[in-house]
């Protein structure tokens, strides 16, 4: 009987133990202040457990090493820009502003020392509003924003960010009236392999996918709440090519926890709600905890930080501290940003 039980266990759980959770059972967070300023910090890019880049409003960008900031204020034609997108490659950091005009800057770096800054893409349009940016590798990157001409705004680079090209709408699925995206945490793009997933909200909550680095696209339905200006998907993360999670809700009813989180096991073609009417409500950023095979998940937002160690089936609230974004540097340490702050979080 014992042998049969062990064999059944191995069939069900594969490499996983029958008694041990894949992810640790965290019960608290130790937060250390890293940076304070009266700005809204929605875009961060961690380098290691002591260094993080950020981009914010009021034209403020910078890198914090330990607790020592190197800061700059960036203006375009005498106007301070608002940044909500950031991405890193081996030799550069990129920041992208939200409104009209949208300006994308490349910052050359040696270690943590900026060596130059130049604008590599500018777009002028009454509806322009960019939300997130990511790189597949040091040469190939993508940024996405709200529709200007009937489709999501998608720009691509293939030369390390020196130049960017906007994808025409005849190569993208059409958006519907009132469908856009949320520039809440620079996390409505996920990339893995040659694929990327973009998420929308508002009147529709859908997932747009490419498997060839932005050349062709498909769009998939989700069960996430939609129909109002502030409903929809705010964040997406993928553990591998097949397994991913989307998270969001209703910014105007942040405690509502129905229809706000879903997972896929087929690369984003179909989505299933998890912990529906349970667990956290609105969250602006979701991340997989490293080295937990998709079982450890952290979701942060204005209402606080929530954690699941079983793939999103059950959740615990670790703190009510408000954050917009979180970036892990290992399986217990992360940087998190919010209004006026960047903190270093240690999960315990």
């Amino acid at each position: 009987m014992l042998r049969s039980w062990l064999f059944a266990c191995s069939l069900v759980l594969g490499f996983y133990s029958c008694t041990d959770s894949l992810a640790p059972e965290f019960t608290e967070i130790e937060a250390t202040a890293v940076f304070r300023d009266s700005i809204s910090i929605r875009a961060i890019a961690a380098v290691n457990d002591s260094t993080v880049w950020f981009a914010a409003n009021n034209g403020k960008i910078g890198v914090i090493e330990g607790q020592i900031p190197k800061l700059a204020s960036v203006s375009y034609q005498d106007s301070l820009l608002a940044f909500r997108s950031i991405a890193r490659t081996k030799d550069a950091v990129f920041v992208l502003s939200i409104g009209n005009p949208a300006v994308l800057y490349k910052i050359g770096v040696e270690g943590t020392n900026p060596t130059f800054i130049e604008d590599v893409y500018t777009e002028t349009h009454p509806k322009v509003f960019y939300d997130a940016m990511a790189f597949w590798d040091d040469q190939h990157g993508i940024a996405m924003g709200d529709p200007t001409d009937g489709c999501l705004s998608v720009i691509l680079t293939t030369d390390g960010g020196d130049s960017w090209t906007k994808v025409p709408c005849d190569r993208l699925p059409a958006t519907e009236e009132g469908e856009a995206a949320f520039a809440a945490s620079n996390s409505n793009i996920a990339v893995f392999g040659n694929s990327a997933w973009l998420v929308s909200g508002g009147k529709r909550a859908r997932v747009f996918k490419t498997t060839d680095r932005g050349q062709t696209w498909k769009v998939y339905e989700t069960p996430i709440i939609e129909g109002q200006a502030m409903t929809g998907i705010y964040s997406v993360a993928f553990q591998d090519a097949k397994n991913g999670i989307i998270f969001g809700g209703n910014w105007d009813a942040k405690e509502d926890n129905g229809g706000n989180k879903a997972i896929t096991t087929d690369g984003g073609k179909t989505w299933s709600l998890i912990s529906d009417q349970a667990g956290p409500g609105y969250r602006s950023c979701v991340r997989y905890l490293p080295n937990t095979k998709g079982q450890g998940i952290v979701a942060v937002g204005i209402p606080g930080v929530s954690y699941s160690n079983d793939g999103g089936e059950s959740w615990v609230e670790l703190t009510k501290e408000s954050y917009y974004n979180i970036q892990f540097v290992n399986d217990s340490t992360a940087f998190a940003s919010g209004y006026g702050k960047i903190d270093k979080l240690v999960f315990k």
Side-chain angles (χ1 to χ4, degrees), residues 8-30:
C9 177
S10 67
L11 285 177
V12 174
L13 299 181
F15 293 109
Y16 310 149
S17 166
C18 285
T19 58
D20 295 335
S21 170
L22 281 177
E25 295 184 0
F26 293 133
T27 58
E28 62 179 319
I29 291 174
E30 179 183 275

Side-chain angles (χ1 to χ4, degrees), residues 213-288:
R213 294 183 177 179
Q215 299 308 302
T216 60
W217 293 85
K218 292 184 178 180
V219 62
Y220 300 104
E221 303 293 326
T222 79
I224 298 297
I225 183 174
E226 61 184 15
Q228 300 177 43
M230 301 305 290
T231 58
I233 310 168
Y234 281 72
S235 185
V236 57
F238 267 76
Q239 167 70 14
D240 52 39
K242 295 293 186 183
N243 297 283
I245 184 169
I246 49 179
F247 218 112
N250 186 351
W251 192 90
D252 290 325
K254 296 181 182 62
E255 298 305 315
D256 289 356
N257 56 9
N260 73 316
K261 42 199 175 295
I263 59 171
T264 182
T265 58
D266 59 10
K269 295 178 182 178
T270 61
W271 296 86
S272 302
L273 291 174
I274 53 172
S275 53
D276 196 29
Q277 303 293 339
Y282 163 82
R283 295 292 185 269
S284 57
C285 183
V286 64
R287 306 287 189 190
Y288 284 108

Side-chain angles (χ1 to χ4, degrees), residues 99-110:
N100 185 23
V103 188
L104 198 164
Y105 289 94
K106 179 178 183 179
I107 306 167
V109 294
E110 292 181 359

Side-chain angles (χ1 to χ4, degrees), residues 179-193:
E179 182 180 17
F182 298 111
S185 61
N186 191 45
S187 66
N188 33 20
I189 295 178
V191 295
F192 189 91

Side-chain angles (χ1 to χ4, degrees), residues 38-60:
S38 57
I39 51 177
S40 179
I41 307 172
R42 294 184 180 269
I44 56 176
V47 179
N48 51 45
D49 63 2
S50 62
T51 306
V52 60
W53 285 83
F54 77 89
N57 62 336
N58 291 340
K60 193 70 66 73

